[in-house]
Each structure stands twice: as C-alpha cells, then as structure tokens.
Amino acid sequence: MTTPARSLRPPAEVTYAEELAALAANDPGERPTQWKLTPRAVRQFILGSDGAALSHVWQGKKTRTRITPKFLGDDALVERCLVTLLGQRGLLLVGEPGTAKSLLSELLSAAISGHSQFTIQGTAGTTDDQIKYSWNYALLLAEGPSPRALVPSPLFRGMQTGTLVRFEEITRCQPEIQDTLVSLLSDKALHIPELSGGDAVVFAERGFNLIATANLRDRGVHEMSSALKRRFNFETVQPLANKALELQLVKDQTEALLRDSGLKVECPVDVLEILVTTFQDLRLGRTEEGTVVEKPSTVMSTAEAVAVGHAAALDAAYFGQGRMEGAHVARQIVGTVLKDNPEDAKKLRQYFEVVVKARGQNQPSWQRFYESRKWLLR
Ligand SMILES: Nc1ncnc2c1ncn2[C@@H]1O[C@H](COP(=O)(O)OP(=O)(O)OP(=O)(O)O)[C@@H](O)[C@H]1O
Ligand SMILES: [Mg+2]
C-alpha cells in the first residue's frame, strides 16, 4: 500500500512498519489462519516489548527494533480483545469519547490483518449499500448486473479476503441499518440477489471478523437491537486512571507531534503535569487533595489532553519564547472545555479560584498557571 509522503496521519501499518517487520521476524509460533502474527506478537505490538529490542533485517540492514507501547493502561483488555477476535463473535469497543477505541481497533487490524483500511465510518446517513455493496451504474446499465459492475464495500472485501473489518461509530447508524449486520454476522455470508450461480453469495473466509466502536456519549448502545448485541462481545474502554501513565502519554505524543512538524519546543514536565492534573481533576470531579469540583459537561479525555498539549506547544513556538508555560495551557484549555455549555466556563473559573489558587501558594508553576486565569474570563 502506498501512502503519500505528505500524509497528515499515516495508518498504523505504515507508521509502525518496522516494528511489525521485527515482530514477524521473531514470531515462530503458529498463526491463526490469515493472521500475520501470532496473538502473542499482536499483544506485544500493542503493549510494547518493555525496552527489549528485536533483531531483524530491515531495508537490507541488520537492525534491532524496540516495540513501543501504544495502548496504555489496560493490558487485560487487549488480551480479551484478542481472544474475542480468535472466536466467532465480533468485537465492540464501547466507551467515552477519546479513550482510544479507534486507535485500538486500528492497531489490532494492522497487526492481525496487515492493514487497517477496510473501514466503514458510521454516520446517521450510512446506507445499506455502504455496508454491503453498490453498483457502478454506467456498467450496470451497459451490461446488467455482473461481478464487474459490483462495487464491494469494505465489509464485502474483508469477507472475501479473510481480513478484519472496522466499523467506526456503529451506533450513529440508524438501528435498521445496523441490523443489516445481524444475519451477515451469524451466517458469515453475504447474498447478492442480483447475481446468479456462484456469484450470488460471498462466504466469509477465515480471518474475517468485525471490530466496531461506539461512543457512549452521543447515541449510546441502548438503541442497538438485542439481536445485534448478541453478535458482539462488548469491551468497555475506560479513561486512563493512572496519572503517571497519562502524563507519560501526553508528553510522548506531544513531543512526537512536534517532531513531525519539525518544531523545537521545550515542554517542561511540571507544565505538562499541570495540564494532566487539571484534566484528571475535572474528569473525576475530585482533586487529589479530596476537594470536590464541578465536572464540566465536555469530555475531558486523554485524547483532548494531547490536543491541548500540542496546541500549547504550537502557541509557545509561534507566539512565545519556545518554552511551554502554564499560560499557553490555560489559553488552549479554554477551547476544549468551553464547547456548547456556558455553565462550563463558570466551573472552570471556580476550579481556578479554589484548586489552582490553593496549589499556587506553595508551587510556583501552579501560581503562574493561576495568574493566567485572565484567559478564562471571556
Ligand atoms: N489508554 C490509552 N492509550 C493510548 N492512547 C490513548 C489512551 N487513551 C487515550 N489515548 C489518546 O487518544 C487518542 C486516540 O483517540 P481515539 O480517536 O482512538 O479515541 P476514541 O475512543 O475512538 O474516541 P471517539 O469516541 O471520540 O471516537 C490517542 O492518539 C491518544 O492520544
Ligand atoms: Mg473513535
């Protein structure tokens, strides 16, 4: 697969091509049919090799490659997901926005099937055709229905080739559209009544399965039919509870984003810690000291924390002195917290007046953060 060099975000199989090659070269066990790696190696791809390096030949040279941890905080969840995918049922990752459901489904597909490109992006406007197949109308009119005129969906191609298929935001689709999947997932066959003979049905090859994601905030899973629910194993992805892990993740990803854009910005740990602590306090509605704070209605996810970290670093690079400060964080947090509910502005100001102010009394970095509260007074 070719990805343009200027692609804003290459898929996981491109970003981690070297790691996947290292794992494949050091993976002697038996692989399930159509799996590119053993379940153990897929686990290592997602959770990392704990600093150990794997020897292999990469682009003609002997190399040692470390496997970086990519999904943090819940190793057992990753193992359960792998067990589900080894079985007959689909995997449904549910959770709050920004908990890395899509990331996990992409990583699983890239490691198991070699790519993560058979993806349906569910919306309220998703149609039956987008899930099954549609037609090239010029060919259809010229030749009538034929395999040549058929335009397969990602799911169709996944069934044909024994590949994992991703269904993003499945619950955004109308329930009747979701139900297209019910018989498809139990029969593991897709019927094409317009065609005849052997072309009229596609039987799923071994290796095919579905990884769906659903967000609990917008349109939850309650509208999903129980018939469809039964065809999935549900796994709930929780927000990162461990502050040290979240801090490490925000630091690593902010730095990686800066490297990608070729910018040098100093990101002091104490400033990133303020950012992560603020997110955790507002997410939980309680501070480490035990003070109760009002939770804003916006989701304070780790993905948002990374976005704020990156934006604060860009602010520091272009409008500051190349060093991230609390003021940059405060300026960027505003755009995350204040989305659609004016009440959230009050809650954020309250948090500054009660928690940030108190911490500032003995911690200079919190004091500077407190001093930048003018950015919240819009
Ligand atoms: N446990 C985690 N491990 C690794 N990254 C995480 C974790 N939690 C959150 N993230 C961050 O979230 C980003 C991915 O978010 P992703 O889009 O996959 O979330 P999502 O759960 O699919 O959200 P949404 O419901 O809005 O679609 C990662 O790039 C990373 O910055
Ligand atoms: Mg997602």
Side-chain angles (χ1 to χ4, degrees):
M1 190 164 320
T2 54
T3 309
R6 292 164 64 87
S7 157
L8 201 50
R9 183 185 174 280
E13 58 274 21
V14 174
T15 307
Y16 301 115
E18 183 179 335
E19 291 190 19
L20 289 168
L23 284 162
N26 290 273
D27 188 23
E30 189 157 337
R31 300 170 190 186
T33 316
Q34 294 281 31
W35 280 42
K36 303 284 184 221
L37 296 173
T38 58
R40 213 178 274 278
V42 177
R43 178 189 186 281
Q44 195 173 54
F45 173 65
I46 296 174
L47 300 176
S49 61
D50 248 344
L54 303 176
S55 305
H56 66 122
V57 178
W58 174 245
Q59 297 179 333
K61 275 200 220 118
K62 269 196 117 177
T63 315
R64 288 171 63 74
T65 304
R66 281 197 179 82
I67 311 300
T68 52
K70 298 166 192 71
F71 176 79
L72 307 185
D74 198 344
D75 297 5
L77 172 90
V78 175
E79 286 160 9
R80 287 198 305 275
C81 291
L82 283 166
V83 171
T84 297
L85 292 173
L86 285 162
Q88 295 282 318
R89 281 176 156 207
L91 171 64
L92 180 56
L93 299 171
V94 292
E96 292 279 313
T99 44
K101 301 178 292 298
S102 303
L103 176 76
L104 185 55
S105 92
E106 182 184 350
L107 293 170
L108 286 164
S109 308
I112 295 173
S113 295
H115 72 85
S116 54
Q117 299 310 299
F118 290 166
T119 304
I120 300 171
Q121 284 165 337
T123 66
T126 300
T127 59
D128 223 26
D129 305 359
Q130 288 161 354
I131 298 182
K132 291 158 100 182
Y133 57 90
S134 55
W135 298 99
N136 173 331
Y137 286 102
L139 277 175
L140 186 68
L141 288 174
E143 301 175 358
S146 67
R148 216 161 76 94
L150 186 140
V151 180
S153 71
L155 190 104
F156 189 116
R157 290 165 69 198
M159 289 176 85
Q160 254 180 342
T161 54
T163 306
L164 285 183
V165 175
R166 300 168 56 207
F167 201 136
E168 285 288 297
E169 305 289 352
I170 192 168
T171 46
R172 282 179 180 275
C173 305
Q174 305 295 334
E176 20 335 331
I177 299 295
Q178 295 174 24
D179 280 348
T180 313
L181 293 170
V182 172
S183 57
L184 217 141
L185 285 181
S186 38
D187 297 354
K188 304 278 191 273
L190 197 159
H191 295 275
I192 311 152
E194 296 89 338
L195 299 182
S196 55
D199 292 328
V201 58
V202 176
F203 294 104
E205 295 262 321
R206 281 185 182 277
F208 163 76
N209 207 338
L210 196 62
I211 309 180
T213 62
N215 189 317
L216 288 176
R217 277 281 171 132
D218 301 331
R219 222 168 116 174
V221 283
H222 58 277
E223 282 186 40
M224 190 181 236
S225 68
S226 28
L228 186 55
K229 281 185 187 154
R230 249 195 3 259
R231 276 145 185 90
F232 282 106
N233 273 352
F234 281 52
E235 286 295 345
T236 306
V237 189
Q238 303 287 358
L240 262 178
N242 181 317
K243 187 172 133 189
L245 270 186
E246 189 168 8
L247 178 58
Q248 191 60 46
L249 188 143
V250 171
K251 183 172 184 309
D252 290 350
Q253 296 203 351
T254 303
E255 286 171 355
L257 288 166
L258 290 172
R259 262 197 313 279
D260 276 356
S261 36
L263 285 174
K264 279 210 170 63
V265 184
E266 201 188 327
C267 302
V269 175
D270 59 343
V271 176
L272 289 176
E273 193 175 350
I274 290 176
L275 161 63
V276 171
T277 310
T278 303
F279 265 73
Q280 291 229 341
D281 291 347
L282 293 172
R283 185 186 302 149
L284 297 173
R286 187 175 19 83
T287 68
E288 284 166 348
E289 300 90 339
T291 313
V292 175
V293 290
E294 273 199 275
K295 288 193 218 178
S297 56
T298 339
V299 190
M300 304 297 293
S301 70
T302 306
E304 291 276 15
V306 173
V308 171
H310 184 213
L314 293 179
D315 197 351
Y318 291 111
F319 302 108
Q321 310 301 319
R323 184 177 194 277
M324 193 200 284
E325 309 272 350
H328 300 123
V329 174
R331 265 158 48 143
Q332 301 304 329
I333 267 186
V334 172
T336 296
V337 179
L338 311 189
K339 290 215 166 108
D340 50 1
N341 186 350
E343 283 297 298
D344 287 346
K346 264 195 238 155
K347 294 178 187 168
L348 189 59
R349 281 199 293 272
Q350 181 79 357
Y351 176 75
F352 265 72
E353 288 308 331
V354 177
V355 180
V356 179
K357 187 176 182 186
R359 286 188 185 141
Q361 278 162 8
N362 47 23
Q363 299 175 70
S365 51
W366 281 92
Q367 175 58 27
R368 285 194 295 279
F369 189 45
Y370 177 65
E371 282 158 12
S372 56
R373 68 193 180 288
K374 65 169 187 260
W375 299 110
L376 316 174
L377 300 175
R378 299 184 307 165

